[in-house]
Short mmCIF file of all heavy atoms in Angstrom, two decimals:
data_model
loop_
_atom_site.label_atom_id
_atom_site.label_comp_id
_atom_site.label_asym_id
_atom_site.label_seq_id
_atom_site.Cartn_x
_atom_site.Cartn_y
_atom_site.Cartn_z
N VAL A 135 -9.22 10.08 2.87
CA VAL A 135 -8.79 9.33 3.99
C VAL A 135 -9.27 7.85 3.82
O VAL A 135 -8.51 6.88 4.08
CB VAL A 135 -9.25 9.81 5.31
CG1 VAL A 135 -8.94 8.92 6.49
CG2 VAL A 135 -8.58 11.22 5.52
N ALA A 136 -10.47 7.68 3.35
CA ALA A 136 -11.05 6.31 3.27
C ALA A 136 -10.26 5.54 2.11
O ALA A 136 -9.96 4.37 2.31
CB ALA A 136 -12.54 6.38 2.85
N VAL A 137 -9.90 6.24 1.05
CA VAL A 137 -9.17 5.55 -0.04
C VAL A 137 -7.75 5.20 0.57
O VAL A 137 -7.26 4.07 0.27
CB VAL A 137 -9.08 6.51 -1.23
CG1 VAL A 137 -8.04 5.92 -2.25
CG2 VAL A 137 -10.44 6.66 -1.86
N LEU A 138 -7.10 6.09 1.19
CA LEU A 138 -5.78 5.84 1.70
C LEU A 138 -5.81 4.66 2.76
O LEU A 138 -4.91 3.81 2.74
CB LEU A 138 -5.23 7.09 2.30
CG LEU A 138 -4.92 8.22 1.39
CD1 LEU A 138 -4.36 9.40 2.15
CD2 LEU A 138 -3.80 7.81 0.36
N ALA A 139 -6.79 4.65 3.63
CA ALA A 139 -6.99 3.56 4.58
C ALA A 139 -7.14 2.27 3.91
O ALA A 139 -6.61 1.20 4.25
CB ALA A 139 -8.06 3.91 5.57
N ALA A 140 -8.02 2.26 2.89
CA ALA A 140 -8.33 1.05 2.07
C ALA A 140 -7.04 0.56 1.39
O ALA A 140 -6.74 -0.74 1.39
CB ALA A 140 -9.42 1.31 1.14
N ALA A 141 -6.37 1.51 0.80
CA ALA A 141 -5.17 1.15 0.07
C ALA A 141 -4.07 0.49 1.09
O ALA A 141 -3.38 -0.48 0.75
CB ALA A 141 -4.51 2.33 -0.52
N SER A 142 -4.02 1.03 2.22
CA SER A 142 -3.07 0.43 3.24
C SER A 142 -3.45 -0.93 3.62
O SER A 142 -2.65 -1.84 3.90
CB SER A 142 -2.92 1.34 4.45
OG SER A 142 -4.18 1.29 5.27
N GLY A 143 -4.75 -1.17 3.69
CA GLY A 143 -5.28 -2.55 4.00
C GLY A 143 -4.97 -3.51 2.94
O GLY A 143 -4.61 -4.63 3.22
N LEU A 144 -5.21 -3.08 1.68
CA LEU A 144 -4.83 -3.95 0.52
C LEU A 144 -3.31 -4.26 0.52
O LEU A 144 -2.90 -5.34 0.16
CB LEU A 144 -5.33 -3.28 -0.78
CG LEU A 144 -6.77 -3.16 -0.93
CD1 LEU A 144 -7.08 -2.35 -2.25
CD2 LEU A 144 -7.52 -4.55 -1.01
N ALA A 145 -2.51 -3.29 0.80
CA ALA A 145 -1.03 -3.45 0.83
C ALA A 145 -0.63 -4.41 1.90
O ALA A 145 0.34 -5.07 1.79
CB ALA A 145 -0.40 -2.14 1.09
N ALA A 146 -1.51 -4.55 2.93
CA ALA A 146 -1.23 -5.45 4.05
C ALA A 146 -1.70 -6.86 3.78
O ALA A 146 -1.59 -7.71 4.55
CB ALA A 146 -1.81 -4.88 5.29
N GLY A 147 -2.34 -6.99 2.48
CA GLY A 147 -2.79 -8.27 2.09
C GLY A 147 -4.22 -8.59 2.39
O GLY A 147 -4.72 -9.74 2.26
N LEU A 148 -4.95 -7.58 2.81
CA LEU A 148 -6.43 -7.80 3.04
C LEU A 148 -7.24 -8.01 1.79
O LEU A 148 -6.84 -7.50 0.67
CB LEU A 148 -6.95 -6.64 3.83
CG LEU A 148 -6.43 -6.43 5.29
CD1 LEU A 148 -7.01 -5.26 5.95
CD2 LEU A 148 -6.63 -7.74 6.16
N ASP A 149 -8.33 -8.73 1.79
CA ASP A 149 -9.14 -9.02 0.67
C ASP A 149 -9.94 -7.74 0.23
O ASP A 149 -10.46 -6.95 1.10
CB ASP A 149 -10.15 -10.13 1.04
CG ASP A 149 -11.16 -10.35 -0.15
OD1 ASP A 149 -10.69 -10.96 -1.16
OD2 ASP A 149 -12.29 -10.01 0.02
N LEU A 150 -10.02 -7.48 -1.10
CA LEU A 150 -10.72 -6.22 -1.67
C LEU A 150 -12.15 -6.24 -1.16
O LEU A 150 -12.67 -5.15 -0.76
CB LEU A 150 -10.62 -6.13 -3.15
CG LEU A 150 -11.31 -5.09 -3.83
CD1 LEU A 150 -10.74 -3.73 -3.38
CD2 LEU A 150 -11.23 -5.22 -5.40
N ARG A 151 -12.89 -7.30 -1.28
CA ARG A 151 -14.28 -7.35 -0.87
C ARG A 151 -14.44 -6.97 0.59
O ARG A 151 -15.36 -6.16 0.98
CB ARG A 151 -14.80 -8.77 -1.15
CG ARG A 151 -16.35 -8.92 -0.66
CD ARG A 151 -16.74 -10.41 -0.95
NE ARG A 151 -18.07 -10.60 -0.35
CZ ARG A 151 -19.20 -10.23 -0.98
NH1 ARG A 151 -19.26 -9.70 -2.24
NH2 ARG A 151 -20.44 -10.46 -0.41
N SER A 152 -13.59 -7.52 1.45
CA SER A 152 -13.61 -7.15 2.85
C SER A 152 -13.38 -5.65 3.12
O SER A 152 -14.04 -5.07 3.99
CB SER A 152 -12.64 -8.04 3.59
OG SER A 152 -12.98 -9.32 3.51
N VAL A 153 -12.44 -5.14 2.33
CA VAL A 153 -12.12 -3.73 2.55
C VAL A 153 -13.23 -2.83 2.07
O VAL A 153 -13.61 -1.82 2.78
CB VAL A 153 -10.87 -3.38 1.74
CG1 VAL A 153 -10.55 -1.84 1.71
CG2 VAL A 153 -9.58 -4.02 2.35
N LEU A 154 -13.91 -3.17 1.02
CA LEU A 154 -14.96 -2.36 0.44
C LEU A 154 -16.26 -2.47 1.14
O LEU A 154 -16.93 -1.48 1.45
CB LEU A 154 -15.20 -2.58 -1.03
CG LEU A 154 -14.09 -2.23 -1.99
CD1 LEU A 154 -14.34 -2.60 -3.42
CD2 LEU A 154 -13.75 -0.72 -1.86
N LEU A 155 -16.67 -3.70 1.60
CA LEU A 155 -17.91 -3.93 2.23
C LEU A 155 -17.83 -4.04 3.74
O LEU A 155 -18.75 -3.62 4.41
CB LEU A 155 -18.45 -5.24 1.66
CG LEU A 155 -18.72 -5.27 0.15
CD1 LEU A 155 -19.33 -6.54 -0.32
CD2 LEU A 155 -19.68 -4.08 -0.33
N GLY A 156 -16.79 -4.54 4.24
CA GLY A 156 -16.73 -4.71 5.64
C GLY A 156 -15.83 -3.71 6.38
O GLY A 156 -15.84 -3.61 7.62
N GLY A 157 -15.09 -2.88 5.68
CA GLY A 157 -14.30 -1.88 6.17
C GLY A 157 -13.10 -2.44 6.96
O GLY A 157 -12.59 -1.88 7.92
N VAL A 158 -12.60 -3.63 6.52
CA VAL A 158 -11.46 -4.25 7.24
C VAL A 158 -10.19 -3.55 6.76
O VAL A 158 -9.56 -3.89 5.86
CB VAL A 158 -11.42 -5.76 7.03
CG1 VAL A 158 -10.20 -6.35 7.73
CG2 VAL A 158 -12.65 -6.42 7.37
N THR A 159 -9.87 -2.59 7.54
CA THR A 159 -8.62 -1.77 7.32
C THR A 159 -7.88 -1.56 8.63
O THR A 159 -8.58 -1.72 9.68
CB THR A 159 -8.81 -0.45 6.57
OG1 THR A 159 -9.78 0.31 7.45
CG2 THR A 159 -9.48 -0.63 5.25
#
């Protein structure tokens, strides 16, 4: 679930660092 949520955040244009460290998804 975490991988899928992160992938959806990246697809929405979010920064990789933010997704991995800050959980911005």
Side-chain angles (χ1 to χ4, degrees):
V135 171
V137 170
L138 293 175
S142 70
L144 294 174
L148 297 177
D149 176 71
L150 176 61
R151 177 183 174 84
S152 298
V153 169
L154 293 179
L155 299 182
V158 182
T159 57

